[in-house]
Amino acid sequence: SYTKPSNAPPCFPILLSILCRKYDFINKGPLELIQDGYKSLGDIFQIRLFHRSVVFLIGPQAHKIFFEAKDTQLSQREVYIFTIPVFGKNIVYDASPKIMQQQLKFMNKGLNLIHMKAHVGKIVMEAEEWFNKWPQTGQIDLIKEFSELIILTASRCLLGKEIRENIHQEFAHLYQQLSDGMSHLSFFFPNAPTNAHKKRNLARIKISKIFEKIIKQRRINQEIQYDDFLQVLIDARYLDDSIPTDDEITGLLLAALFAGQHTSNITSTWMGLLLIKYKSKWMSKLLDEQKQIMNKYHGELSLESLSEMNLLHAVMKETLRLYPPLVFLMRKVLESISYNGYIISKGDIAVVSPSIAHRISDVFKNPDEFNPERFLGENAEDQIEKFSFIAFGGGRHSCLGERFAYLQVKTIWSILLRKFDFELCQEHPEPDYSTLVVGPKAPCMVKFKRKIDSF
Ligand code: HEM
């Protein structure tokens, strides 16, 4: 039985709340309930889930202790165990803390500014080719369309041209089987003997074999220069000068792919839906920005031109504020920590929620309104306090792919805005809480028409 320490965070009685209030878990997920906890108890409270205390930390000040804690205090590994069958043994969350840190550094290197130039060129090429194939007019499901495009760009930038040019279809199929093996069930029981898990495990073995061959070839043909993420991992060295094994390289590639693919796809889709919904207010301003910058750079989409598209950037950020794909970030408490006189005890789960945090009206004015300009200028609303905007997390484990994600999603919408007019064909969709990464409920149908005066 559970005895609550006297200075434990106040407890939000979920069973009683569920009995007293009708929560729409199907459509609204667990967020309404957490929002109620925040409204009634403040920025730190706990709920009891099975035998465990889950402590919620809401708002910039409470986020600070979450994001500034050391790995020895708040640990990711225990809550990300479900990734091990996909990423593999001794990779990231299954590795010792020292090895994990070095592996994250390898990934960071592959996504840094120096490599970004090469990545952007490839993203632009894939996206332009993709949208050139669209007919004059038509209807598409944005989420399906972007998912297919983003796996192509990820293939080219991260996995390498061997996959992209020779066996893209085969890889996409195996990747789908890995994705299907990462459900809510897998989160709690990653090794439950289900069909999806069996297929996932087989797909992981096949993918490892594919990369073993490619890596071997690259090690033999050293005279060919590659500028992709795979090559950064092949060239990586641990501190003791040992090289990552082929299976570790494969796992790190898969980790980057999983971190970036669904999140970027979802963000591109929400961004389109919001842009089309609010086009009367924002479209002409966005097109002015596009005209001005594309003129300045002689029509070339590049790292430089994309970096100057401030309004487009703010639109993406505002999209992520309203619809962050990761709605909860979690850690296992390894050493008790305190906040505002409360103790978060060893063994608890600490949680922050970008979805809840981004709708706090003291931090973001009229938080339900779509207003990209809140992020522009000296008084940008997220600059007043650190850890206000947390769609990419924060602190030592903040997203390593943030720059890549912005460039990818901005490329897609820079091309689409300049080449096509859009109209919605349906109501604005609700978020779909049935998957771990939360996107809009599919399908997300829109009508498009190629512009006569595209530029
Ligand atoms: C971590 C969000 C795109 C690679 C994270 C975290 C968040 C996040 C919230 C922190 C997780 C935590 O604290 O538990 C997003 C969003 C994206 C995006 C919203 C797109 C819109 C990408 C891309 C890549 C990537 C494109 C790589 C190509 C990573 C990696 C980490 C991470 C490697 C782990 C960092 C660490 O633990 O130190 N991401 N991400 N992400 N992300 Fe992203």
Side-chain angles (χ1 to χ4, degrees), residues 66-67 76 80 92-93 100 104 107 111 158 229 255-257 259-265 267 316 320 324-326 328-331 354 390-394 396-402 404-406 408-409:
F66 183 93
F67 288 124
Q76 292 174 304
Y80 288 141
V92 197
Y93 303 115
M100 170 173 145
L104 287 170
M107 293 172 79
L111 296 165
L158 306 179
F229 187 75
L257 201 58
Q261 209 259 341
H262 294 295
T263 45
S264 301
N265 175 24
T267 306
M316 176 168 163
L320 282 164
L326 301 184
F328 294 124
L329 310 178
M330 289 178 266
R331 305 283 188 266
I390 55 165
F392 291 102
R396 73 186 69 237
H397 288 295
S398 66
C399 179
L400 298 178
E402 177 172 349
F404 187 94
Y406 271 111
Q408 167 141 287
V409 176

Side-chain angles (χ1 to χ4, degrees), residues 23 44 76 78 80 86 103 110 158 162 183 195 201-202 223 226 295 307 341 352 371 400 412 416 427 439 449 451:
Y23 288 104
I44 173 166
Q76 292 174 304
E78 290 75 2
Y80 288 141
V86 174
Q103 292 179 341
L158 306 179
E162 297 92 328
S183 59
N195 226 355
N201 296 348
L202 262 178
E223 67 284 359
Y226 296 92
N295 266 342
S307 304
V352 301
N371 175 18
L400 298 178
I412 289 177
L416 288 177
E427 293 272 293
K449 188 170 173 204
K451 286 184 183 188

